[in-house]
Amino acid sequence: MLIGVPAETLAGEKRVATVPEVVEKLVKLGFSVAVQSGAGEAASFSDETYRGAGAQVLPDAAALWAQSDIVLKVRPPTEAEVAQLREGATVIGFIWPAQNPGLMEQLAARKATVLAIDCLPRTLSRAQKMDALTSTAGVSGYRAVIEAANAFGRFFNGQITAAGKVPPARVFIAGAGVAGLAAIGTAANLGAVVRANDTRAEVADQVKSLGGEFVKVDYEEEGSGGGGYARVMSEGFQAAQRQMYASEVKNADIVITTALIPGKPAPKLISAEMVQSMKPGSVIVDMAGEQGGNCELTVPGEAVVRHGVTIIGYTDLASRLARQSSTLYATNLLRLMEELCKAKDGVAVVNMEDDAIRGLTVIKEGEITWPAPPLKLAPPPAPKPAAAPVAEKKSAHGSGAPMSGKALTIVFAVLAVLFWAIGAYAPAAFLGHFTVFVLACFIGYMVVWNVTPSLHTPLMSVTNAISSIIAIGALIQIAPPGAGMNGRPDTLILWLAFGALVLTGINMFGGFAVTKRMLAMFRK
């Protein structure tokens, strides 16, 4: 089958659906690949690199659409492109079926099979490798911070200069999905003080792990929706959220909004009054501009200044990093093609029994199959059987519980008899060393027993190094105290002592080196 990659026709779109590196892998799957001339130029992929990877380069779009069995796209195809599509062909790309019902009808009329990459069931773990929404959102979140830094009038990080102290920028991010988390990490790495909010309480730990501070709305309501998205909140929650936003926006230098719910207009989070309360020179980056924007004053596709605040409503953030975005998107489509062509014979098979493929397939051979049926949830794990009473009784007297008084008395009595026997028959010198040995074992056991289990491994490597008192014994054997030249030990003892010194040195320095590396793993 022939895979065709046309140039994107939307004004300002620089991305391309596949890259030379991925072309080579598609060819290994058995496919032929054709690319429209100039399709990758805006993303810095020349026609020569595509030819070198094994692709044909066709001069115009009409020939490519007419010949291709499978068409890979970034943006939804236009009406003119659908008219050029070969009947019965397959189209893969962003389709947004809920927002484009007319396009769905046109594609169905061409008897096409359409796989909408935006309809991938994101809750399936095996589908993560095909998740182009996540790849695109991550790039967009990063780029949003770069655009904000470009429009902002000073440093992100705090600095002390000869002219005085510069405070760090205060960044507030509304929405901590994939794009929001990417923005949080980027802004924190640039040195800003980052605060973020999301209706989903479970993302609080993710925000903190990236260096941000989670701001909670003073209203108890769960905001998790299906498929990893947030859901529409109640009016009471929204009122409390607006009050919190008004305070955060007023104190922020940069605001980045990412709130979107699939199939719905972007919620208005930032009012004109909030914009007016911001300091002159502040910046708002509205990542929901394509769906109307989260700010009342956003102009989709443009950067405008209102009340001294720069409001950026660009709808092509991912396209502004075209090479990176294209590479990630092409890799997502490659993983999808691997699922469609498991036999590696160059034939794509749309298996409607596969949950991931079924979710992606919005049209099958001219029949509209969107929306997909709900995923079958895995049955909950069976509850663990209760422990038998006998086992509970045994565990109550196990090693983790203290001994009874009677057992402790018996143990001490046995040990006392053992010490008496040793003291009665062993040499006096041995008894002194043995006493030190027993006390050392007891103290060492008690020290280790009271250490947190998570520190046992680095602790043991240090104690192994510190406990290498063998070195002192070996040195005494090599050069006994008070011995002159005539007091040299036997050759065998000398070499044994030397070997002990070498091994002990390895143990000492190795123990400290291992501990240092282990502890470094926990440092940022």
Side-chain angles (χ1 to χ4, degrees):
M1 299 179 77
L2 176 65
I3 295 176
V5 182
E8 298 296 322
T9 56
L10 184 69
E13 181 58 71
K14 299 178 181 179
R15 290 174 292 175
V16 63
T18 198
V19 299
E21 178 185 349
V22 171
V23 168
E24 296 178 354
K25 297 174 182 177
L26 290 172
V27 171
K28 290 180 180 178
L29 287 175
F31 294 102
S32 299
V33 181
V35 180
Q36 182 182 342
S37 180
E41 290 291 344
S44 303
F45 298 110
S46 65
D47 291 347
E48 289 71 23
T49 59
Y50 281 109
R51 288 193 184 94
Q56 308 173 50
V57 177
L58 300 182
D60 56 59
L64 186 138
W65 282 92
Q67 297 178 30
S68 300
D69 300 298
I70 301 172
V71 177
L72 302 184
K73 282 275 295 169
V74 178
R75 295 280 185 169
T78 63
E79 185 175 345
E81 289 174 328
V82 174
Q84 299 176 51
L85 178 66
R86 186 173 64 81
E87 189 167 305
T90 299
V91 178
I92 301 175
F94 287 104
I95 303 296
W96 307 110
Q99 290 93 327
N100 297 303
L103 173 63
M104 294 283 286
E105 294 292 342
Q106 294 169 24
L107 289 166
R110 301 293 295 174
K111 306 296 181 185
T113 295
V114 180
L115 277 69
I117 200 69
D118 49 278
C119 292
L120 179 75
R122 302 174 79 184
T123 53
L124 293 175
S125 58
R126 57 176 291 267
Q128 292 177 0
K129 61 186 178 182
M130 301 178 275
D131 191 356
L133 282 173
T134 295
S135 300
T136 303
V139 175
S140 298
Y142 172 87
R143 184 68 191 196
V145 177
I146 301 303
E147 294 293 341
N150 181 58
F152 190 47
R154 57 181 174 85
F155 305 129
F156 262 50
N157 63 325
Q159 294 190 20
I160 298 177
T161 71
K165 183 179 179 181
V166 179
R170 297 178 61 87
V171 178
F172 177 67
I173 296 174
V178 176
L181 291 173
I184 291 167
T186 305
N189 288 337
L190 288 174
V193 175
V194 184
R195 292 165 65 85
N197 168 260
D198 197 280
T199 57
R200 296 160 292 186
E202 66 268 18
V203 304
D205 290 338
Q206 299 176 46
V207 170
K208 294 176 184 176
S209 69
L210 291 170
E213 179 183 350
F214 187 78
V215 185
K216 191 175 184 297
V217 177
D218 189 16
Y219 193 97
E220 292 301 326
E221 183 176 348
E222 177 52 45
S224 296
Y229 295 98
R231 67 176 178 85
V232 178
M233 306 301 286
S234 69
E235 187 57 40
F237 181 93
Q238 292 181 34
Q241 186 183 52
R242 284 192 292 271
Q243 184 177 358
M244 182 272 288
Y245 276 13
S247 173
E248 291 295 327
V249 169
K250 182 178 181 180
N251 297 320
D253 299 306
I254 294 169
V255 176
I256 299 175
T257 65
T258 70
L260 270 179
I261 298 174
K264 297 181 182 295
K268 298 300 180 185
L269 304 178
I270 311 298
S271 66
E273 290 76 14
M274 294 182 192
V275 176
Q276 196 169 0
S277 71
M278 297 179 73
K279 297 182 289 290
S282 300
V283 179
I284 296 175
V285 180
D286 193 341
M287 295 184 63
E290 195 164 3
Q291 300 299 325
N294 296 136
C295 177
E296 288 184 353
L297 303 181
T298 295
V299 178
E302 298 182 20
V304 297
V305 179
R306 299 287 184 268
H307 307 295
V309 178
T310 302
I311 304 173
I312 299 173
Y314 295 150
T315 58
D316 60 347
L317 289 172
S319 183
R320 289 169 180 258
L321 287 171
R323 186 178 180 91
Q324 181 69 78
S325 299
S326 299
T327 301
L328 294 176
Y329 181 64
T331 303
N332 292 139
L333 294 188
L334 169 65
R335 302 308 173 208
L336 173 57
M337 296 308 300
E338 289 174 344
E339 291 294 318
L340 297 176
C341 183
K342 293 184 177 180
K344 298 184 179 181
D345 57 357
V347 177
V349 178
V350 179
N351 178 14
M352 299 294 275
E353 299 299 320
D354 185 315
D355 286 339
I357 302 304
R358 175 63 188 90
L360 287 168
T361 307
V362 295
I363 302 176
K364 177 70 182 298
E365 297 174 356
E367 179 185 353
I368 296 178
T369 59
W370 180 86
L375 293 174
K376 297 177 182 178
L377 299 177
K384 294 182 179 180
V390 175
E392 292 178 0
K393 183 176 181 181
K394 182 179 179 181
S395 65
H397 297 286
S399 59
M403 290 186 189
S404 65
K406 183 178 179 180
L408 194 60
T409 303
I410 294 173
V411 170
F412 271 104
V414 172
L415 290 176
V417 172
L418 181 62
F419 272 105
W420 176 84
I422 294 174
Y425 298 101
F430 174 80
L431 186 60
H433 291 303
F434 182 73
T435 303
V436 172
F437 172 75
V438 171
L439 290 175
C441 289
F442 175 75
I443 294 172
Y445 172 80
M446 294 305 295
V447 168
V448 174
W449 184 260
N450 287 288
V451 171
T452 303
S454 60
L455 294 178
H456 278 175
T457 303
L459 171 72
M460 293 310 296
S461 61
V462 172
T463 51
N464 282 343
I466 296 175
S467 65
S468 296
I469 199 168
I470 303 167
I472 298 176
L475 288 173
I476 292 175
Q477 292 297 327
I478 292 175
M485 294 299 295
N486 296 329
R488 297 176 67 90
D490 294 339
T491 303
L492 177 60
I493 295 176
L494 181 65
W495 283 107
L496 287 174
F498 177 76
L501 271 178
V502 172
L503 296 176
T504 302
I506 294 173
N507 184 42
M508 291 170 64
F509 292 105
F512 284 116
V514 169
T515 302
K516 184 177 180 181
R517 293 186 63 180
M518 286 181 178
L519 295 178
M521 294 170 60
F522 297 95
R523 297 191 183 102
K524 186 175 179 180

